[in-house]
Amino acid sequence: MAQFYSAKRRVTTRQIITVMVDELDAFGQGVARHNGKALFINGALPGEQVNVEIVEDKRHYSRGNAKKILHASTERVVPRCPHFSVCGGCQQQHAALPLQQESKARALAHLLTRESGLPVQVDDILGGDAYGYRRRARLGLYYQPKTQTLQMGFRRAASNDLVTLTQCPILMPELDALIQPLHHCLSSLHAVRRLGHVELVQADNGPLLVLRHLDTLSTADRQKLERFSHEHQVALFLAPDSETVQQVTGEMPFYQVNGMNLMFSPRDFIQVNGAVNQQMVARALTWLDLQSDDRVLDLFCGMGNFTLPIGNLVQNVVGVEGVAALVNQGAYNARLNNLKNVTFFHENLEEDVTRQPWAEQGFTKVLLDPARAGAAGVMHHITKLAPQRVVYVSCNPTTLARDSQTLLTSGYQLERVAMLDMFPHTGHLESMVLFSRT
């Protein structure tokens, strides 16, 4: 079951109780019943008997931490990461992957059923490897004056403190292998006290790193970074401020989807899980049932992750995106892939879209992939367009459920639901839904 918490009410006297865990929620917490209400337990799995320390007690639910596992689940596994339970990046490495996926799918179905009033089931789970899947990561950097050492890693759970990493097995192996030598290189820089963060990206033409530095780098520091780049075959980009990225070595990155190369700037948004992205795009194309004479609208299109593959199959496709740099990159990639039937518009989809130039056109199919806030500003216009099929890709099941109401009350049928396991071991729940007009 999905559970979203309001402001915390701390328990002053921490009580230890023993409970049986019934299920796993989408966020990796065991769920039990205690005193007639739900108890959410960090570190517990379904079928386990556990001693639990109550840390928060609300009117309708409580939260606690598993202090001792009295009877372990057969689906409990040994986490691969030595930083698990300290690093805030992962919450579910102790749970077998099928259990994680089933729990997320159940939470998604429960929420959509509750909001729609219709019985909803998840038809498909699109997933991949549980480890070595993440092709992008931002690692924080902090120089510790007392120990005169550079910390490099992710944040601790519920904290701004960094966990210095020696490895990260959810990263693609090429990126994981860079962690220790990169830490050593950055620690040796004269500017070690004035570094912001480092981004690692595994493109299809090799790895790259972006270093955010707060002061101008000396010639010696730049030479050290360039040597690291050449020794480890990593493209190097420097970011002297939050807006600028300077290419120092290597090629501009690209990734492949549906047989096409999509070039991107190191800071452009791309899906973190490349394998699931391939499946997601392929499934979306199938669900849209694209025909050569279709006119397709792709909202919140980014730099064309869906737009360009669709353009290979239909008469024309229009992509609309609010970030100008992504619109420009999408148009560049359309030219690069010799697609002359693709048009991109830079528009704010949270404003009145009826006055935007794309809105005057007619479309037979629509795909939308909004951010967590959802697509409330465009849903009514989609119903006015009356497309035959709508595919909604979501990273937030709550706003998906809300936006679905507009389609359902306008006569659309919810045909298919897929859970997208983009982020194994985490509480991120992504999904894709197909609606059709009868």
Side-chain angles (χ1 to χ4, degrees):
M1 61 184 296
Q3 178 71 34
F4 301 91
Y5 304 114
S6 57
K8 295 181 179 179
R9 186 177 75 193
R10 292 294 180 186
V11 176
T12 54
T13 302
R14 299 217 166 166
Q15 178 187 8
I16 303 292
I17 62 172
T18 302
V19 296
M20 285 293 298
V21 182
D22 300 318
E23 60 180 311
L24 191 72
D25 76 358
F27 306 101
Q29 301 172 113
V31 185
R33 301 293 299 181
H34 179 64
N35 288 340
K37 57 188 177 183
L39 170 61
F40 297 90
I41 310 164
N42 291 320
L45 298 178
E48 293 185 331
Q49 185 180 34
V50 296
N51 288 344
V52 181
E53 180 184 44
I54 304 295
V55 297
E56 186 178 348
D57 192 17
K58 306 287 262 184
R59 178 176 297 179
H60 299 295
Y61 67 88
S62 300
R63 291 200 305 121
N65 296 322
K67 304 302 292 184
K68 185 177 181 180
I69 309 297
L70 302 177
H71 296 289
S73 167
T74 57
E75 294 180 285
R76 178 174 287 276
V77 296
V78 177
R80 288 192 194 177
C81 182
H83 308 291
F84 179 68
S85 81
V86 179
C87 173
C90 294
Q91 300 83 43
Q92 302 184 33
Q93 285 193 24
H94 62 302
L97 184 62
L99 174 60
Q100 295 182 35
Q101 294 178 340
E102 291 162 9
S103 300
K104 290 180 181 181
R106 184 173 59 250
L108 176 62
H110 172 81
L111 184 59
L112 292 177
T113 296
R114 187 183 70 190
E115 295 298 321
S116 69
L118 302 171
V120 176
Q121 65 179 16
V122 173
D123 305 289
D124 303 287
I125 295 176
L126 305 185
D129 293 334
Y131 290 94
Y133 69 83
R134 191 178 182 107
R135 63 181 175 183
R136 181 174 215 139
R138 174 183 286 197
L139 303 176
L141 299 172
Y142 176 70
Y143 184 78
Q144 178 56 257
K146 290 183 179 180
T147 60
Q148 296 188 342
T149 57
L150 177 69
Q151 294 178 289
M152 184 179 86
F154 297 123
R155 305 291 175 188
R156 291 178 181 270
S159 171
N160 286 325
D161 296 336
L162 289 179
V163 177
T164 296
L165 299 181
T166 58
Q167 60 179 284
C168 181
I170 69 164
L171 293 184
M172 294 188 72
E174 297 89 340
L175 301 184
D176 187 29
L178 291 174
I179 290 177
Q180 293 194 49
L182 177 59
H183 186 204
H184 178 74
C185 174
L186 297 179
S187 297
S188 71
L189 300 181
H190 294 299
V192 64
R193 293 171 177 82
R194 299 289 293 161
L195 302 177
H197 61 261
V198 63
E199 296 179 67
L200 297 175
V201 183
Q202 181 63 36
D204 283 2
N205 56 333
L208 66 92
L209 71 86
V210 181
L211 177 63
R212 173 75 171 96
H213 54 95
L214 306 179
D215 293 337
T216 301
L217 295 176
S218 67
T219 300
D221 280 354
R222 287 181 65 99
Q223 289 175 346
K224 283 184 179 180
L225 289 167
E226 289 185 38
R227 281 198 299 272
F228 177 88
S229 167
H230 294 306
E231 289 172 6
H232 295 274
Q233 297 183 316
V234 181
L236 172 63
F237 295 79
L238 298 177
D241 56 59
S242 58
E243 302 298 326
T244 306
V245 176
Q246 301 171 346
Q247 185 177 3
V248 180
T249 65
E251 302 174 343
M252 288 300 293
F254 69 84
Y255 73 91
Q256 292 189 324
V257 61
N258 215 49
M260 289 183 288
N261 290 350
L262 271 65
M263 307 290 294
F264 63 95
S265 171
R267 282 187 168 168
D268 287 345
F269 171 80
I270 63 170
Q271 292 288 355
V272 161
N273 192 321
V276 175
N277 184 60
Q278 295 278 359
Q279 296 179 60
M280 176 180 71
V281 172
R283 187 62 54 90
L285 300 185
T286 299
W287 280 5
L288 286 170
D289 189 26
L290 297 171
Q291 307 299 317
S292 60
D293 59 348
D294 273 330
R295 302 178 308 281
V296 182
L297 174 65
D298 182 8
L299 298 171
F300 310 93
C301 67
M303 62 178 195
N305 188 55
F306 292 100
T307 326
L308 301 185
I310 290 172
N312 254 342
L313 302 172
V314 302
Q315 182 181 107
N316 61 64
V317 57
V318 168
V320 187
E321 168 59 43
V323 179
L326 294 178
V327 170
N328 293 336
Q329 193 64 50
Y332 174 82
N333 282 323
R335 294 192 297 271
L336 184 68
N337 288 279
N338 198 32
L339 292 173
K340 296 180 173 60
N341 59 336
V342 179
T343 307
F344 287 91
F345 289 91
H346 174 217
E347 299 289 347
N348 185 348
L349 292 172
E350 295 179 358
E351 296 178 347
D352 180 9
V353 301
T354 60
R355 299 179 181 274
Q356 296 176 6
W358 62 267
E360 300 175 358
Q361 302 182 32
F363 301 96
T364 55
K365 312 281 174 65
V366 171
L367 183 141
L368 63 159
D369 184 8
R372 292 189 59 81
V378 297
M379 296 309 298
H380 286 291
H381 190 72
I382 290 175
T383 62
K384 290 180 181 178
L385 293 171
Q388 300 162 10
R389 294 188 172 217
V390 177
V391 170
Y392 189 131
V393 182
S394 168
C395 60
N396 184 348
T398 303
T399 52
L400 167 64
R402 179 201 68 198
D403 294 343
S404 297
Q405 283 296 315
T406 305
L407 294 171
L408 294 172
T409 56
S410 299
Y412 282 84
Q413 303 294 319
L414 194 157
E415 299 283 356
R416 307 280 298 181
V417 179
M419 195 280 285
L420 312 174
D421 197 19
M422 280 282 185
F423 299 91
H425 308 307
T426 77
H428 292 287
L429 177 50
E430 310 219 353
S431 57
M432 186 165 64
V433 180
L434 168 65
F435 299 90
S436 67
R437 182 166 57 87
T438 55

